[in-house]
Amino acid sequence: MKTIKNIFNKLKQIIKGISTKRIIVYTITFFLSLFLVLSFFRKSNMKNYVSTIDYNNDYQQTSNLVSGKKSYTNLLLEYKNKNIPFINKDIILDNSDYLGLEVTENDSNYGEAVKKYQSEKTSNNGVYLLNEDNQLTIKVSDVEEGIYYIAIDYYELDQLIDNNQISIKINGEVPFIESETLVLKSKWIFAKDEFSNDRYGNEIQAGANKEIGWYNQKIYDYKGIHPNYYGYHLKNGDEITISYVNKDLLIGEVSFFKTETIKTYEEYLKEYQNVSISNEKIEISARDMKSRTEPSIRLRSERDPSNLYYDTQKLKLNTIFSESWQNGGQAVTYEINVENSGMYKLAFKYRQNLVNEMPVFRKISINDKVPFDLFESYAFPYTTGFLNRRVVDENGDDVLIYLEAGTHEITLEAVSYPYRTAIEKIKEIMSEIQSLALKVKRYTSGGNDPYRDWDIETYFPNASTDMNKWADELDVLHESLKVMSDVSKPSEIANISQSAKRLRNIAKNINKLPSKMVQFSDGDSSVNQLLGATMQRLMVSGLEIERVVVYGDERLSKPYSNVFTSIYEEIKRLILSYTNNPYSVSKAKDNELRVWVNHPRQYIEIMQAMIDEKYDGKMRITLSQMPDQNKLVLANASGDAPDVAIGVDHWIPYDFAIREASLDLREFKGYEELVKNFSKGAMIPYIFEDGVYGLPETQNFWVTYYRKDILESIGVNKVPQTWDEIKALLPVLQSYELNYFIPISQYVGLKPFVATLPFIYQFGGSLYSEDGMQTAINDTETIQGMKLMSELFTLYNMQKYVASFYNQFRYGIIPIGVSDLSTYILLQTTALELDGLWDIDLHPGNYIEETGEIVRYAPSGAQSSMIMSTTKHKQESWDFLSWWMSTEVQAEFAFTLQNTYGKTYFWNTANVNAFSQMSIPKKHRDVILNQWEYASEAPRIPGSYMVEREISNAWTKMVFDGANPRLALDEAVRISNREILYKMAEFGYVVNGVPVKNYEVPTIKNIDKWLTEVN
C-alpha cells in the first residue's frame, strides 16, 4: 500500500510541477498527433454491394391514382394476367397509313431537315410536323394482336431548354397515365471545348448547345421509375395518335422494335473468360463530359488538391453539382479512348450526401447499351466525403467489362427503379388517406371538436381496418427498403415506420378521427405529409462525381490529399484571400463604368461574360456584387455611389429620386422606344413628378394555381374566374375541409400592397387623390373592394394565416389559390410527384356587367435598375442600361442562365418581348403574358408607407374586431392624411398646411404621359 501511495504522490508532484501552459501544449500536441495518425487510416474506397435486380422488376398492384386512369404498373400486370403476348419484332409502319401535316424538302422552314432525313434513311418515309394544331395518326395494319414497343424518329426545331414532350394515344385514349407525357431526349454539349475565365481568373461554366439532328428514341420512362420500355396493346385496325404536349417537332418513321433480354453478369463473364485484365488506367474528369441530356446538369468547384483540376486561388470547375443531377432520366456521357483490348474495372470518385443513409442509383451504359443486369441500376451508397466507388459484384469482387481498343462511351443515367414499388405504394396510401379524410370531412361538415362524439365506426365501417392495413403495408415497405442501407435504422425512411405507428394509434379510437385530422392528413407532421416527404426524397437521386476511372491492375489514387498538403493549401488560400475578392465593390478607375448588381454571383458571372463579349460601348463595364442594397444609401451619402445600380427593389428608385439621387431617364434618346417593351402598369413606381427614375428589370406574376386531380375528384370542372365564382366554390371546398388561398393569408402583421391592391384596383378604387395630398381609400369603390377582402375571411371562412401555400398545395390541403413566381419555380423543379396534376390560370377578377369584362388588376413589381445622379458618365450609363434591358440581350441572358445552371434559374425578365421567348410551356407563358396586361403597381408619394399600413390595420379591425368597413377606413384616412401632409411638407410641397406645388399621381389611366421622351 505504501508503494502505491508513493507512486501517486510522485505523480501529484510531477503534475504540480507542470505549468498550465505546458498542459495546454501537451494536450494540443497529443490531439494533433492523434489526428495525423488517424488521417493515414482514413477510408478511401466504397465497396458495399446493394442487390437491386429483384427490386427493379417487382411490380405490385396499386389503385389507379390519377382521375381513374391506369398506371403503367397496373397495365403491365393486366397484360400478364390476361396472357397477352409481347410481340418482339422489328416492324416499320407503312407510310401510307400516316395521317398528319406532311412537310417536303421544298418547305421553306423545314426543307433542309427533310432532305437530311431522306438522305439518311433507306426507306422513302415521309416527314410530318407535330405542333399544337397538328397531330400524327397512324393506322395499324397487318399485325398480330399483342404488346408492341414503339420507336420514333424525330427532329427538334429549336434550342430551347424545355423537354420535348408528346403523348401517345391508342384509339383516342391514353392506355396508361404515363403515356400522357412522354419525353423525347435532347443531347446537349458545352458551347466551348475549353472553359473561359472571368476577369478574376475563375472558371465560368460554358453555355450549352443542343445538337440538332435526327434521332431515334425507343419510348420508355424518362422519369426513371420503370426499367423497361413502355408496351402498347395493339391489333389490326387500331390507331396510334402522337400528339404535341410541349415543343414543335418533326416526326419521321414510327416503328415497332425488338428488345433483347439483358444478360446476367455471370453470362457476360463467360463470354470473355479467356480475356486478360488490362494494365491500362484512364482517368476522366467529371467536367470532360461529351454530352448530357439536360443543360441544367452543371459543374461546381470542389477545392481539394487531389482533384484532377485544382488551383489554390482560382476556382476550377471539377465536380458535377448533385442537386443539378438528381431527377430521373438525367444522364451524362463520357468518351474514353482505350489503347489495348481487354477486361477493365470501373470506379468513380463520388459523394452522395443528399439521400441520408440510403443509396441512389445510376444506370450504366457502355456504348449506349447496358451490358449486364448489375448495371441496370447500380447503387451509390450514402457518404459524407468523397470516396472511390469501386464497382463490385455481390461477392465484393471488382466488376469487369470488356472494351475493344478504340473509342467508347460510358453513360450514367439517374434512375429510381429499386424504389418504384415504395414510391407507388406510398402514393397509393396517401391517395387513400386523402380520400378517407375528404369523406369524413364531408360527413362532419369540417367539424373537428375533440369534445363532440362522432360515429365514424358506423358511417365508415372499414376505416379502422384500412388504417391497420396501411400500417402493415408500410412496415413491410420499411423492411424492404432497410435492406438497401448499410445502417440498421436509416433516417431517410424513418417517417415510414413513424407513420405506421401513428395510423395504428388513430385506428384504436377511430371515432376520434375528426379531431385528429392534424395527425392524419392535414398537419405539417401528419401521416400524409410524412409520407409525402419520404416519397419526394426517394424520387431524387443527387450524386456528385469528380472523376470516372477505367482501370486494370493499377491502384486507384486516394480520393483526398494527405493532411500535410491540405494544411499547406489552406494556409496559402488564407493568405491569398486578402488580395483576391472577385466582384467586390472597388474604387472607380479611368474609363470605367461602375455597376453594382443585387444578384447572386452566378448571375453576375454570366452578365460580366456577356458584357465583355458583346457590349460595344465606349467605357469598360465593371460589375460588383451588392450584398445589401441599403449600402447604396451610405455610398451615396459618402460620395462613393456607383454609376448604375441593377437588381434593386422596385420602390428604391423613387426613394432616391425624391432626394435627387437618381436620374430622370426620360431625358435620354431611345427611352420611348425601350419602355414599349414593358407593361405600362409596371412603370408606375418609378415616376416622380414629370420624370421616370428607374426601369423594371424583373417582373413578378400573380396567377391562380390549381390541383387538377383534387378538383376533379370533388366534381369541380371549371377554374373560378371571378370573386363571385370563388364565393360559390368555397362551400364546396370547405365541405371537404379544403380551402382557397389568397396572398393576404401568407403575411403576419402588415398586409402589404401586393396583397391588398387587387381588391382596390379591380373595383375601380384609388389609393390617392389626383393631387396626391390625401388618400382616397374611403371612396365607394375602395370600400366595396375592402368589404370583399374582409368578408372572404369573416363570412366565407378562408384561412387567416397560411405559413406556406406551396406546402399546403403540394399536400392537397389547399388545392387552389393565388400565388406568384416562387411557387411556379418550386412546382416545376421540386414537386416531382405532382407532375401533370397542376396547372395555372389567370388571377381572379371583378366582373363588370356593363362591359362584360373581368378586370384582373394585380401587382407585378420585382427588381429594377437606375442611374445614380452623381455619375460623371450619364450618357454612357444610359447606353449600358438600355443595352442591358433590350429584348435581344434579356432573351439571351435568360437562355444562357438556364442553359448554364438549370431550370431553377428562371429569369423573369420585365421585358415582355423577351419573356415571350422564354423556355416554359406555351400554355403557361400565355397565361402569364395575359395577366401582365393587367399589371398595375402602387404609385409612390411621400407618406405612402402609412397608407399601406393603415389599409392593413383597417382589414385587421374588420376581420378580427368586426369593425364597420366605412368607419375603419375613415380612421385609416385620417391617420394617413396626417402623415402624407407631414411628408409633403418635408419635401416642400406643403407650407403651413397649404399645398404650394402640384404633385400629380400616376395611375394606369394616365400612365401614357410618362412613356414619352422629353428634352
Side-chain angles (χ1 to χ4, degrees), residues 545-571:
I545 285 182
E546 189 273 332
R547 75 184 67 176
V548 179
V549 187
V550 178
Y551 66 110
D553 288 329
E554 295 287 321
R555 292 189 63 180
L556 290 172
S557 306
K558 294 283 188 183
Y560 46 79
S561 55
N562 66 58
V563 66
F564 302 106
T565 302
S566 297
I567 292 172
Y568 174 66
E569 287 293 316
E570 287 295 334
I571 293 171

Side-chain angles (χ1 to χ4, degrees), residues 821-838:
L821 168 69
S822 61
T823 299
Y824 185 82
I825 294 174
L826 286 169
L827 289 172
Q828 283 278 48
T829 60
T830 306
L832 303 179
E833 75 278 12
L834 296 186
D835 190 21
L837 302 183
W838 65 276

Side-chain angles (χ1 to χ4, degrees), residues 5 164 191 262 284 331 346 384 407 494 546 551 593 713 797 925:
K5 284 183 180 180
N164 308 301
I262 298 177
I284 311 147
L346 194 58
T384 55
T407 301
E546 189 273 332
Y551 66 110
L593 200 70
S713 71
N797 293 318
R925 185 168 61 242

Side-chain angles (χ1 to χ4, degrees), residues 188-197 202-209 287 289 292 295-299 317 605-606 609 613 895-902:
W188 294 86
I189 60 173
F190 286 124
K192 299 177 181 178
D193 292 333
E194 297 292 332
F195 292 165
S196 57
N197 296 329
N202 299 311
E203 284 187 337
I204 304 172
Q205 180 165 312
N209 286 337
R287 65 187 264 154
M289 59 183 78
R292 59 202 196 275
S296 55
I297 301 172
R298 65 185 188 273
L299 300 167
L317 298 175
E605 287 177 346
I606 292 178
E613 181 181 353
F895 177 77
T896 305
L897 188 66
Q898 282 198 311
N899 272 14
T900 306
Y901 294 113

Side-chain angles (χ1 to χ4, degrees), residues 878-897:
W878 168 253
D879 290 344
F880 168 71
L881 185 57
S882 58
W883 173 85
W884 170 240
M885 289 312 304
S886 65
T887 298
E888 181 183 355
V889 172
Q890 284 293 294
E892 182 178 350
F893 177 71
F895 177 77
T896 305
L897 188 66

Side-chain angles (χ1 to χ4, degrees), residues 663-769:
L663 282 185
D664 180 8
L665 304 182
R666 294 182 70 194
E667 67 185 48
F668 294 104
K669 186 177 181 181
Y671 164 83
E672 187 172 341
E673 193 63 30
L674 181 62
V675 296
K676 290 178 182 177
N677 295 305
F678 306 122
S679 303
K680 290 183 178 182
M683 296 295 297
I684 291 174
Y686 311 112
I687 294 171
F688 169 60
E689 293 186 342
D690 292 329
V692 177
Y693 292 84
L695 293 175
E697 186 193 28
T698 58
Q699 190 160 306
N700 203 351
F701 54 81
W702 294 86
V703 294
T704 301
Y705 293 82
Y706 63 97
R707 286 280 300 270
K708 294 189 289 186
D709 57 330
I710 294 178
L711 294 187
E712 286 176 14
S713 71
I714 62 175
V716 177
N717 300 314
K718 181 187 174 185
V719 178
Q721 301 296 315
T722 68
W723 295 111
D724 287 338
E725 290 177 1
I726 289 172
K727 288 190 287 186
L729 174 65
L730 279 166
V732 178
L733 292 173
Q734 289 164 3
S735 69
Y736 294 97
E737 208 169 304
L738 304 173
N739 220 317
Y740 193 100
F741 171 84
I742 57 176
I744 292 174
S745 300
Q746 76 186 45
Y747 297 102
V748 180
L750 176 69
K751 313 295 180 183
F753 279 145
V754 73
T756 58
L757 275 184
F759 295 93
I760 297 174
Y761 285 166
Q762 290 182 11
F763 287 86
S766 301
L767 288 175
Y768 313 109
S769 60

